[in-house]
């Protein structure tokens, strides 16, 4: 039977709270971009698909003749919307090539806000023309 008045000392207490050996961390290397051949294959696939996408867009009723009317009715919003789409592609390119996530997020947020504001106005103008019977 144990003496309740005796101090209880765990035998591993000196090991648990004593000096430990120094820890040497080995960090993973920075992520690398994929090989250039993979990038070139995907770039060629995207460029090869563009004519198919544009052809399908024209087949489903895209009306390029209304471009002048759209730019006359709301030139700033249409130009800013198209420019923000191109700018977002530029942000993605910079992230892929040189930027890290902390550089990309503020730029993407700024471009996204511009795309949202200008796009809502540009698409409202398109809807007004469609409701007026101009398609």
């Amino acid at each position: 039977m144990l003496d309740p008045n005796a101090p209880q000392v765990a035998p591993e207490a000196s090991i648990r709270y004593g000096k430990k050996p120094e820890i040497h961390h080995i960090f993973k290397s920075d992520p690398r971009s994929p090989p250039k051949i993979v990038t070139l294959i995907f770039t060629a696939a995207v460029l090869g698909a563009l004519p198919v996408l544009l052809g399908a867009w024209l087949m489903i009723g895209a009306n390029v003749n209304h471009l002048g009317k759209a730019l006359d009715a709301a030139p700033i919003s249409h130009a800013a919307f198209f420019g923000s789409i191109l700018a977002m592609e530029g942000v993605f390119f910079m992230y892929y090539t040189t930027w890290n996530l902390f550089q990309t997020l503020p730029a993407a947020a700024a471009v996204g806000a511009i795309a949202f504001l200008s796009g809502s106005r540009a698409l409202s103008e398109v809807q007004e023309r469609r409701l007026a019977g101009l398609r």
Side-chain angles (χ1 to χ4, degrees), residues 71-90:
L71 291 176
D72 285 342
I76 295 174
S77 60
H78 283 286
F81 183 55
F82 185 70
S84 65
I85 292 171
L86 293 178
M88 190 60 81
E89 292 298 326

Side-chain angles (χ1 to χ4, degrees), residues 31-88:
R32 299 178 321 151
S33 295
K36 288 191 181 204
I37 188 69
V38 173
T39 302
L40 292 174
I41 289 171
F42 277 99
T43 303
V46 168
L47 292 177
L50 281 178
V52 175
L53 292 173
L54 291 175
W57 183 53
L58 291 172
M59 286 178 57
I60 63 172
N63 192 348
V64 183
N65 297 333
H66 281 252
L67 182 61
K69 291 178 185 178
L71 291 176
D72 285 342
I76 295 174
S77 60
H78 283 286
F81 183 55
F82 185 70
S84 65
I85 292 171
L86 293 178
M88 190 60 81

Side-chain angles (χ1 to χ4, degrees), residues 44-131:
V46 168
L47 292 177
L50 281 178
V52 175
L53 292 173
L54 291 175
W57 183 53
L58 291 172
M59 286 178 57
I60 63 172
N63 192 348
V64 183
N65 297 333
H66 281 252
L67 182 61
K69 291 178 185 178
L71 291 176
D72 285 342
I76 295 174
S77 60
H78 283 286
F81 183 55
F82 185 70
S84 65
I85 292 171
L86 293 178
M88 190 60 81
E89 292 298 326
V91 168
F92 290 150
F93 177 77
M94 291 302 294
Y95 176 65
Y96 181 74
T97 56
T98 56
W99 284 357
N100 62 26
L101 189 61
F102 296 109
Q103 293 169 312
T104 303
L105 288 177
V111 171
I114 293 169
F116 176 76
L117 295 173
S118 63
S120 63
R121 176 61 194 124
L123 295 176
S124 295
E125 187 275 327
V126 170
Q127 181 183 18
E128 290 170 4
R129 279 188 290 117
R130 285 191 176 175
L131 292 176

Side-chain angles (χ1 to χ4, degrees), residues 8-27:
Q8 296 184 359
V9 177
E12 66 272 354
S14 61
I15 297 171
R16 183 185 306 169
Y17 298 112
K19 183 176 179 182
K20 301 283 185 185
E22 183 178 354
I23 298 173
H24 296 282
H25 293 283
I26 300 173
F27 296 101

